[in-house]
């Protein structure tokens, strides 16, 4: 697909957004009764469920236990109905395992694992509808679930995508823009310090554009961070007032 | 075979399955002859089991095969360097490169009692002696001699550098005739612990010096005496001049 | 089998050395290990030796039905195999997490960046197209598998020739290799990866990490670049890494210049291999074994390895055989950036493409005359008495 379809002459994208506009974010916390923490997050049409269990005893082989840290275990799963064509294997294929590993590494950096040696923290993420930015929505949803579970974090982790079409950086790409052949840069940062925890790029562009696209992605992350913080505050305030009433 | 002179046998290469002929004096004497690693008595013959060079020593008459290998098999009395991997009850599990992790009791240290134990972290390096190393049991390490005295064993400082070297190189370095370590010591003062399991720990004044010394030692694996002397000389010149 | 445990001592030493701008094997922070690329006798067989890391790639092709969503394109599959032969802790059969990471990165660098023109692989639209398979085998793991695997895959793809095909109406005739010369693949650009190990909260980075450095590092930054300074892929991973944007940009610049040199070297190796094939005498991978014989170091070889540390660059006059990219450490706001100005001739020394060197060059192993006094007796000592004779 050529660049003209992804970005019109008036500077509008396929779904009518401007290049620096995020998709609508909706979130609710504490939706599962069983899990220690859970969250449901929608970014545009991408819908993700996240559940957190832990810190709890190591399950399975005890050899995985780390003597000074908690072991973070993530499972990234895409539902069979999440894409246009039915997906045969929700998890266990290479892409899902790679995503799980990256989620594990991202959260192992953000969670204060040194407080729980020899234990395990599970994060389960299920993509219900995939419309671009699957990984970023998963990171954001898992982060909300961790906050809901009360797991101590060094800082919140926020993630966002950015792309480059006709020398204009776009923020928060959807599936059509992603599969159209334009590069996609995924960044996860800690909003307070601006430090990058995870970054990956698919497709290619010239190295001179890297700075621009990276800036766009980081700004997108910070904007998403502000929105998610508001949602978190709302949720915690709701919990708080119910205590005071009694 | 018995007619060949003995001097052609020692320092020759033998392969597994070859048979060894002893010198006439040793054959005729009544003293016990010691067969070291790589040799096996099979009926009336002495057969070679490991490929290598036949060496001999005169008192007591000992023969062995000098073999090149990297995998360590624990032997009682060896000083080895191990990495502490776990604490189980009163003892530590130490990885020394053998088929099983060795155990090191927490009171096998100089001046340690049940109430006063040393503080060892997982990931620390220990320089210890193998007390028990048989084929049927897990190896056991101690950091004291049988009288409980300090003999230079114990926890190694984390400020040094640990590297691995093949086992035949370790034996070469520990040979009293090998002057490499002494000559390097003239150029730069350093602290070194050589483990028979192929690990060497070294510590010099700065990280740069430590690393250069470590690289010089691993590089000298295939050098003979003259080449080693040249290496040390170059080393000394560099350190002195620049 | 489990991996040998990493002691605190080794990790601290690596981190301390890197903070001072030096590495445990004597290299500087922006220096790669010695790279050797050799090709096999079969078309599409490439072996890469990056220091001690050894990876081999083989390309094969079959005719298949193209995917319905891309009916006019051929297919490219990349598969990485890591057996226990390469390292003790690799599982035989299944790819562990590390294996999947290597596989995905090679795929993203080579397949997703569209370096092979897949449309030229189509024979009959919607019916027949070439499926190219790259099988990468890791033979020895000594750090930086990703770079070695990508280089091997790229070398194999550049080296590969597929059988020529003619269309007779709707009938497809595949010519045998002796009927018609096989056809090379159409390569649009040459993407390579360059990996950096990140230390000290992302402030210090070391190019081409060894196994020990990888295990001691906070995280890893992998950059995929081609000769036109285009970024094909990028990944930061690691469970302790926090890196700033400026550090990423400076790494990218260092990597871009290095990628240009590596592509040049690859092209030279391919040209040398082509010249050898024309001459007819061809040793294939045996020539790389001859290179191994040179690696048994004696004093003269030790001279080349035993380089002075980074800030005494003037002494390198007597070690011209191995040119070092001249680097300057610039500390700026706590971030150590490297400005490299590598020698033009550095690519020369990386190529080891001569067939079996003449016998005089190969260093003979010198046996030690040192008599070993107190040997360690690994086996129970057997005493023999006079009954033997």
């Amino acid at each position: 697909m050529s660049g003209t379809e992804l970005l019109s002459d008036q500077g509008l994208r396929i779904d009518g957004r401007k290049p620096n506009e995020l998709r609508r974010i909706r979130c609710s916390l504490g939706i599962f009764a069983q899990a220690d923490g859970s969250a449901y997050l929608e970014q545009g049409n991408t819908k993700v469920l996240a559940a957190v269990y832990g810190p709890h005893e190591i399950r399975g082989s005890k050899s995985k236990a780390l003597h000074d840290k908690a072991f973070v275990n993530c499972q990234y799963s895409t539902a069979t109905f999440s894409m246009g064509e039915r997906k045969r294997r929700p998890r266990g294929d290479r892409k899902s395992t790679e995503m799980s590993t990256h989620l594990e590494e991202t959260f192992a950096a953000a969670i204060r694992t040194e407080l729980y040696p020899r234990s395990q923290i599970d994060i389960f993420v299920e993509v219900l509808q995939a419309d671009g930015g699957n990984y970023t929505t998963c990171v954001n949803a898992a982060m909300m679930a961790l906050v809901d579970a009360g797991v101590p974090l060094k800082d919140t982790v926020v993630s966002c995508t950015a792309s480059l079409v006709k020398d204009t950086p776009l923020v928060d790409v959807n599936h059509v823009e992603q599969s159209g052949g334009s590069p996609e840069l995924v960044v996860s940062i800690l909003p307070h310090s601006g430090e990058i925890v995870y970054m990956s790029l698919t497709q290619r562009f010239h190295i001179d554009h890297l700075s621009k696209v990276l800036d766009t992605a980081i700004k997108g992350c910070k904007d998403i961070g502000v929105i998610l913080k508001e949602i978190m505050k709302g949720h915690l305030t709701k919990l708080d007032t119910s205590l005071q009433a009694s | 075979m018995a007619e060949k002179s003995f001097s052609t046998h020692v320092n020759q290469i033998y392969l597994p399955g070859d048979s060894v002929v002893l010198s006439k004096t040793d054959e005729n004497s009544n003293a016990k002859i010691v067969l070291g690693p790589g040799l096996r008595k099979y009926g009336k013959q002495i057969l070679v089991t490991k490929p290598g060079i036949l060496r001999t020593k005169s008192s007591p008459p000992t023969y062995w095969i000098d073999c090149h290998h990297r995998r360590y098999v624990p032997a009682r009395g060896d000083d080895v360097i191990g990495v502490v991997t776990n604490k189980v009850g009163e003892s530590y599990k130490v990885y020394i490169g053998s088929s099983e992790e060795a155990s090191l009791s927490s009171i096998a240290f100089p001046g340690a009692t049940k109430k006063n134990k040393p503080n060892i972290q997982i990931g620390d390096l220990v320089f210890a002696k193998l007390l028990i190393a048989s084929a049927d049991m897990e190896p056991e390490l101690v950091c004291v001699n049988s009288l409980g005295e300090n003999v230079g064993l114990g926890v190694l400082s984390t400020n040094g550098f640990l590297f691995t070297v093949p086992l035949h190189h370790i034996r070469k370095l520990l040979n009293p005739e090998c002057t490499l370590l002494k000559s390097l010591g003239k150029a730069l003062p350093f602290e070194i612990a050589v483990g028979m399991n192929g690990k060497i720990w070294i510590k010099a004044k700065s990280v740069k010096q430590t690393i250069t010394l470590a690289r010089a030692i691993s590089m000298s694996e295939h050098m003979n005496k003259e080449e080693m002397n040249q290496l040390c000389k170059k080393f000394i010149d560099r350190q002195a001049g620049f | 089998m489990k991996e040998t445990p990493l002691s605190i001592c080794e990790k601290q030493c690596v981190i301390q050395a890197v903070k001072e701008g030096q590495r445990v094997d004597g290299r500087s922070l922006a220096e790669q290990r010695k790279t050797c690329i050799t090709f096999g006798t079969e078309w599409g067989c490439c072996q890469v030796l990056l220091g001690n890391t050894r990876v081999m790639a083989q390309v094969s092709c079959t005719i298949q039905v193209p995917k319905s969503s891309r009916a006019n394109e051929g297919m490219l599959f990349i598969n990485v195999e890591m057996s226990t032969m390469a390292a003790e802790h690799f599982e035989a059969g299944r790819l562990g997490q590390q294996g999947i990471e290597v596989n995905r990165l090679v795929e993203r660098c080579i397949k997703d960046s569209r370096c092979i023109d897949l449309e030229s692989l189509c024979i009959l639209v919607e019916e027949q197209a070439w499926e190219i398979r790259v099988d990468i085998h890791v033979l020895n793991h000594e750090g930086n598998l990703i770079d070695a695997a990508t280089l091997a895959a790229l070398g194999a793809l550049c080296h590969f020739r597929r059988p020529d095909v003619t269309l007779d109406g709707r009938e497809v005739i595949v010519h045998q290799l002796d009927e018609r010369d096989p056809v090379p693949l159409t390569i649009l650009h040459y993407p390579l990866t360059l990996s950096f190990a990140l230390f000290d909260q992302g402030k210090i980075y070391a190019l081409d990490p060894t196994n020990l450095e990888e295990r001691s590092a906070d995280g890893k930054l992998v950059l995929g670049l081609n000769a036109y300074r285009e970024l094909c892929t990028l990944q930061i991973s690691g469970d302790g890494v926090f890196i700033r944007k400026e550090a990423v940009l400076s790494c990218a610049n260092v990597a871009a210049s290095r990628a240009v040199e590596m592509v040049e070297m690859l092209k030279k190796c391919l040209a040398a291999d082509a010249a050898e094939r024309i001459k007819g005498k061809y040793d294939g991978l045996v020539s790389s074994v001859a290179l191994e014989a040179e690696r048994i170091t004696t004093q003269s070889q030790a001279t080349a390895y035993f380089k002075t540390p980074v800030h005494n660059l003037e002494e390198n006059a007597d070690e011209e055989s191995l040119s070092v990219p001249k680097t300057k450490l610039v500390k700026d706001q706590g971030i150590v950036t490297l400005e490299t100005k590598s020698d033009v001739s550095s690519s020369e020394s990386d190529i080891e493409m001569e067939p079996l060197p003449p016998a005089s060059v190969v260093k003979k192993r010198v046996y030690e005359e040192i008599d070993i006094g107190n040997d360690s007796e690994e086996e129970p000592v057997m005493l023999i008495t006079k009954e033997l004779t």
Side-chain angles (χ1 to χ4, degrees):
Chain A
M1 265 199 254
S2 60
T4 45
E5 296 173 25
L6 293 175
L7 192 66
S8 75
D9 297 324
Q10 287 90 28
L12 292 179
R13 293 150 77 167
I14 285 188
D15 48 5
R17 286 185 285 154
K18 293 212 204 54
N20 60 350
E21 227 178 288
L22 295 170
R23 291 181 287 183
R24 185 168 65 161
I25 295 179
R26 281 196 293 199
C27 178
S28 52
L29 295 161
I31 41 176
F32 293 144
Q34 283 273 20
D36 294 331
S38 51
Y40 169 73
L41 183 71
E42 274 183 32
Q43 257 182 262
N45 280 332
T46 306
K47 302 177 169 57
V48 168
L49 274 172
V52 167
Y53 287 84
H56 61 81
E57 192 192 347
I58 298 248
R59 253 181 240 132
S61 56
K62 293 277 192 267
S63 60
K64 274 192 283 186
L66 301 166
H67 69 278
D68 57 346
K69 297 200 274 205
F71 161 68
V72 178
N73 176 40
C74 289
Q75 191 191 73
Y76 172 93
S77 160
T78 31
T80 48
F81 46 79
S82 60
M83 314 244 249
E85 265 178 39
R86 185 174 192 270
K87 200 165 188 283
R88 262 181 300 147
R89 278 185 87 183
R91 68 194 81 91
D93 61 326
R94 291 214 176 132
K95 283 207 175 128
S96 308
T97 321
E98 189 203 5
M99 286 289 134
S100 307
T101 315
H102 292 148
L103 280 171
E104 274 173 26
E105 288 177 343
T106 309
F107 286 110
I111 299 175
R112 295 204 55 200
T113 47
E114 67 273 8
L115 295 175
Y116 307 108
R118 272 183 282 276
S119 59
Q120 180 177 343
I121 298 178
D122 288 322
I123 303 177
F124 297 105
V125 169
E126 182 90 25
V127 177
L128 299 174
Q129 188 173 332
D131 186 31
N134 302 339
Y135 173 78
T136 50
T137 321
C138 288
V139 168
N140 296 335
M143 208 271 300
M144 300 297 270
L146 282 169
V147 167
D148 186 43
V151 174
L153 297 167
K154 288 182 193 128
D155 192 358
T156 55
V157 182
V158 192
S159 185
C160 189
T161 49
S163 180
L164 188 74
V165 170
K166 281 201 300 185
D167 291 348
T168 316
L170 309 176
V171 80
D172 201 5
V173 293
N174 61 18
H175 181 69
V176 175
E177 289 165 344
Q178 187 186 336
S179 50
S182 46
E184 186 199 15
L185 181 73
V186 175
V187 174
S188 303
I189 64 165
L190 306 179
H192 279 115
S193 45
E195 286 171 336
I196 301 170
V197 182
Y198 172 79
M199 183 152 85
S200 90
L201 170 69
T202 49
Q203 303 296 339
R204 60 186 163 116
F205 56 69
H206 198 271
I207 204 174
D208 297 334
H209 300 305
L210 177 62
S211 179
K212 212 170 27 176
V213 180
L214 192 48
D215 279 334
T216 318
I218 292 180
K219 171 122 197 334
C221 285
K222 292 195 168 152
D223 292 339
I224 294 183
V226 167
I227 299 174
L228 290 178
K229 278 219 164 78
E230 286 305 313
I231 299 175
M232 272 188 252
K233 278 191 189 150
H235 177 71
L236 293 170
T237 324
K238 226 181 350 174
L239 289 178
D240 197 29
T241 48
S242 61
L243 264 177
Q244 276 175 358
S246 63
Chain B
M1 234 178 17
E3 286 87 35
K4 271 201 199 146
S5 73
F6 181 59
S7 55
T8 60
H9 288 254
V10 178
N11 295 331
Q12 288 294 309
I13 297 176
Y14 280 88
L15 296 177
D18 292 348
S19 52
V20 170
V21 172
L22 306 175
S23 76
K24 286 253 169 50
T25 39
D26 287 334
E27 276 180 40
N28 296 329
S29 72
N30 276 326
K32 280 199 182 134
I33 300 173
V34 176
L35 285 184
L39 293 173
R40 187 169 78 101
K41 186 178 167 198
Y42 186 70
K44 292 208 168 146
Q45 287 185 307
I46 302 173
L47 289 185
V48 173
T49 56
K50 282 192 194 173
I53 303 173
L54 181 67
R55 307 273 195 214
T56 184
K57 198 169 75 158
S58 43
S59 61
T62 314
Y63 295 83
W64 72 94
I65 297 282
D66 202 4
C67 177
H68 281 205
H69 45 201
R70 297 153 96 177
R71 177 66 61 173
Y72 177 64
V73 176
R76 194 184 127 87
D78 277 353
D79 292 329
V80 293
I81 298 181
V83 183
V84 177
T85 55
N86 212 355
K87 181 157 188 208
V88 179
E90 289 286 317
S91 60
Y92 297 97
K93 282 270 177 258
V94 178
Y95 173 82
I96 54 174
S98 59
S99 57
E100 236 184 311
E101 284 189 347
S103 70
L104 170 63
S105 165
S106 45
I107 43 176
F109 289 85
T113 59
K114 279 212 174 116
K115 299 236 171 101
N116 177 23
K117 288 191 205 145
N119 183 18
I120 302 183
Q121 306 297 324
I122 293 183
D124 272 348
L125 287 174
V126 283
F127 188 44
K129 199 182 261 295
L130 274 164
L131 182 68
I132 296 176
S134 81
D136 310 308
M137 295 162 52
E138 77 169 359
E140 208 179 292
L141 296 168
V142 283
C143 283
V144 280
N145 69 1
S146 46
L147 299 169
E149 293 159 4
N150 188 353
V151 282
L153 304 169
V155 179
L156 295 169
S157 151
T158 52
N159 281 331
F161 181 55
L162 178 78
F163 61 103
T164 314
V165 150
L167 301 183
H168 50 274
H169 191 35
I170 296 272
R171 293 200 291 266
K172 189 162 102 178
L173 287 172
L174 290 178
N175 189 343
E177 285 189 36
C178 175
T179 54
L180 178 73
L181 295 178
K182 289 200 201 79
S183 324
L184 286 175
K186 285 201 201 107
L188 286 176
F190 61 88
E191 226 182 300
I192 192 169
V194 179
M196 298 297 294
N197 57 343
K199 306 247 186 255
I200 300 182
W201 174 89
I202 192 166
K203 179 174 153 193
K205 284 223 184 80
S206 73
V207 173
K208 202 171 65 149
Q209 288 178 358
T210 312
I211 291 176
T212 335
L213 282 167
R215 288 183 65 221
I217 294 176
S218 21
M219 207 170 296
S220 62
E221 184 184 333
H222 295 284
M223 293 183 185
N224 58 13
K225 256 194 192 154
E226 296 91 59
E227 288 172 336
M228 271 199 221
N229 287 336
Q230 280 177 26
L231 177 69
C232 293
K233 194 162 156 308
K234 200 172 192 140
F235 205 88
I236 293 171
D237 291 340
R238 282 244 169 80
Q239 292 304 320
F242 313 111
Chain C
M1 282 182 262
K2 274 190 342 186
E3 205 169 1
T4 52
L6 187 70
S7 61
I8 301 177
C9 173
E10 289 167 297
K11 193 166 163 173
Q12 264 191 15
C13 188
V14 169
I15 293 176
Q16 194 59 36
V18 166
K19 279 192 183 155
E20 293 177 11
Q22 211 205 348
R23 288 160 77 165
V24 167
D25 52 358
R27 289 182 284 158
S28 65
L29 290 181
E31 201 183 326
Q32 269 186 315
R33 289 176 281 183
K34 185 162 132 176
T35 316
C36 300
I37 305 176
T38 42
F39 297 99
T41 40
E42 290 279 315
W43 289 115
C45 177
C46 173
Q47 181 185 248
V48 166
L49 204 63
L50 197 66
N52 271 329
T53 301
R54 193 190 287 262
V55 173
M56 184 161 124
Q58 172 74 51
V59 179
S60 53
C61 63
T62 49
I63 298 186
Q64 302 281 351
V65 177
K67 268 196 248 182
S68 46
S69 51
R70 294 186 190 277
N72 62 338
E73 283 183 4
M75 292 152 291
L76 175 64
F77 286 116
I78 298 182
N79 183 36
V80 172
E81 302 274 345
M82 293 182 15
S83 73
T84 326
M85 178 168 78
E88 279 185 339
H89 57 279
F90 288 165
E91 266 177 57
R94 242 172 50 96
L95 269 186
Q97 270 186 1
Q98 194 183 13
I100 290 183
E101 189 189 6
V102 174
N103 199 341
R104 284 294 302 147
L105 273 165
V106 178
E107 264 182 18
R108 273 158 60 180
C109 183
I110 292 190
K111 195 164 140 185
D112 294 349
S113 69
R114 297 176 206 276
C115 73
I116 307 272
D117 182 15
L118 292 174
E119 283 183 19
S120 66
L121 294 175
C122 180
I123 306 171
L124 275 179
V125 180
E126 282 181 18
E127 281 178 43
Q128 290 190 20
W130 284 109
E131 178 191 276
I132 307 285
R133 239 194 112 82
V134 185
D135 288 299
I136 304 171
H137 288 258
V138 176
L139 300 173
N140 193 39
H141 172 39
E142 197 24 69
N144 203 4
L145 289 175
I146 298 166
D147 286 3
T150 327
L151 188 56
L154 187 64
L157 284 166
C158 296
H159 191 248
F160 181 63
R161 304 276 184 272
R162 63 170 173 82
D164 199 5
V165 161
T166 42
L167 279 180
D168 185 17
R170 287 193 67 78
E171 208 184 296
V172 173
I173 307 169
V174 179
H175 296 276
Q176 297 303 315
L177 293 175
D178 45 3
E179 275 178 49
R180 276 213 206 169
D181 275 345
V183 173
L185 300 173
T186 324
I187 314 247
L188 301 171
H189 63 104
Y190 297 84
L192 290 171
T193 54
L194 283 144
S195 308
F196 291 85
L198 301 170
F199 295 94
D200 194 18
Q201 303 288 304
K203 293 197 200 90
I204 308 178
Y205 36 86
L207 177 61
D208 190 16
T210 59
N211 195 12
L212 179 60
E213 287 167 349
E214 272 183 356
R215 290 175 78 187
S216 318
D218 290 334
K220 193 159 50 177
L221 166 64
V222 179
L223 287 155
L225 289 152
N226 64 13
Y228 307 122
R229 296 178 66 97
E230 283 179 336
L231 261 181
C232 303
T233 186
L234 191 161
Q235 180 165 298
I236 296 181
S237 58
D239 57 3
V241 63
F242 306 104
I243 189 173
R244 301 207 65 88
K245 176 194 149 198
E246 297 81 14
V248 176
L249 294 174
S250 62
C251 268
N253 279 322
V254 169
S257 31
R258 194 73 196 118
V260 173
E261 290 164 15
M262 302 260 313
V263 171
E264 277 309 309
M265 177 175 79
L266 177 64
K267 286 185 180 165
K268 276 196 190 138
C269 288
L270 281 164
D273 176 69
E276 284 298 309
R277 278 176 188 265
I278 289 173
K279 278 193 225 159
K281 60 174 175 81
Y282 196 64
D283 302 311
L285 294 174
V286 173
S287 56
S288 76
V289 175
L291 301 171
E292 295 304 299
E294 273 196 71
R295 283 155 59 94
I296 294 171
T297 54
T298 53
Q299 179 62 12
S300 41
Q301 190 84 359
T303 320
Y305 277 120
F306 192 27
K307 294 197 291 278
T308 44
V310 167
H311 18 276
N312 291 342
L313 284 172
E314 306 82 54
E315 270 88 62
N316 277 342
D318 55 329
E319 282 144 7
E320 266 150 38
S321 55
L322 227 59
S323 46
V324 178
K326 303 204 189 326
T327 63
K328 215 168 45 149
L329 285 175
V330 172
K331 280 202 173 164
D332 183 15
Q333 296 157 3
I335 302 167
V336 180
T337 54
L338 292 157
E339 292 155 13
T340 63
K341 206 177 49 168
S342 47
D343 271 334
V344 173
S345 59
S346 69
S347 49
E348 222 63 52
S349 59
D350 285 349
I351 305 170
E352 303 278 338
M353 269 311 297
E354 301 86 33
L356 283 166
S360 55
V361 177
V362 174
K363 308 279 183 280
K364 282 222 164 69
R365 295 262 306 258
V366 178
Y367 294 113
E368 312 102 65
E369 266 90 43
I370 298 169
D371 212 7
I372 290 165
N374 33 336
D375 190 13
S376 86
E377 337 257 67
E378 302 100 325
E379 293 159 5
V381 164
M382 275 186 27
L383 305 179
I384 55 170
T385 55
K386 198 148 187 291
E387 283 147 37
L388 180 69
T389 51

